């Protein structure tokens, strides 16, 4: 007669669950990850908390698209700045002096270089003035 303890069964189930999750995670990620090239996941959150890239909008630039409402303009601006968000030219804007912070986040690849960028702005107007079409994600 064989006796199996509850601890042994629990450990075996935990190990099996971890193996299943480990096997499922890369496959699920591979299905949702964009192909290599020029692409960014963009997100904007209200407040000082960073936006999660997984909750954002995909911008593809070869060819422009991916769900971004101003993909062609955003890709042209990024191309002119060699994919460096900090090098995007700021435009003159009269923004209200209302503190309603927004945090912008970008993560992806540009010319086979990884891109990770996060910055908090005092309000949406300041974000748009500094990043142009890149973070104009609501279609305006």
């Amino acid at each position: 007669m064989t006796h199996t303890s509850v601890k042994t069964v629990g450990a075996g189930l935990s190990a099996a669950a971890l193996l299943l999750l480990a096997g499922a995670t890369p496959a699920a990620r591979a299905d949702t990850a964009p192909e290599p090239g020029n692409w960014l996941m963009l997100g904007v959150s209200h407040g000082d908390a960073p936006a999660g890239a997984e909750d954002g909008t995909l911008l593809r630039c070869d060819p422009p698209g991916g769900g971004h409402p101003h993909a062609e303009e955003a890709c042209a601006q990024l191309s002119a700045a060699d994919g460096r968000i900090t090098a995007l030219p700021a435009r003159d804007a009269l923004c209200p002096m209302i503190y309603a912070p927004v945090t912008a986040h970008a993560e992806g690849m540009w010319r086979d270089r990884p891109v990770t960028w996060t910055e908090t702005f005092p309000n949406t107007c300041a974000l748009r003035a500094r990043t142009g079409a890149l973070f104009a994600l609501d279609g305006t």
Side-chain angles (χ1 to χ4, degrees):
M1 181 179 216
T2 305
H3 294 285
T4 307
S5 74
V6 174
K7 285 184 179 179
T8 304
V9 172
L13 288 174
S14 295
L18 286 174
L19 287 174
L20 285 173
L21 288 174
T25 302
R29 178 80 176 142
D31 291 342
T32 59
E35 299 90 31
N38 297 333
W39 62 270
L40 295 175
M41 282 299 294
L42 305 168
V44 176
S45 65
H46 296 278
D48 296 327
E54 65 278 355
D55 298 329
T57 299
L58 176 63
L59 171 66
R60 293 180 192 258
C61 289
D62 294 322
H68 192 288
H70 305 285
E72 287 187 33
E73 187 180 355
C75 289
Q77 290 172 352
L78 275 173
S79 290
D82 194 29
R84 293 174 297 139
I85 298 170
T86 56
L88 291 171
R91 65 179 173 87
D92 289 333
L94 295 174
C95 293
M97 294 185 65
I98 297 172
Y99 186 70
V102 291
T103 300
H105 178 79
E107 190 169 336
M109 297 292 287
W110 189 266
R111 295 190 181 140
D112 299 322
R113 291 186 324 247
V115 174
T116 302
W117 178 86
T118 301
E119 189 170 336
T120 300
F121 296 87
N123 55 46
T124 304
C125 178
L127 167 67
R128 298 269 176 88
R130 181 63 192 92
T131 62
L134 187 61
F135 285 97
L137 302 178
D138 61 4
T140 59

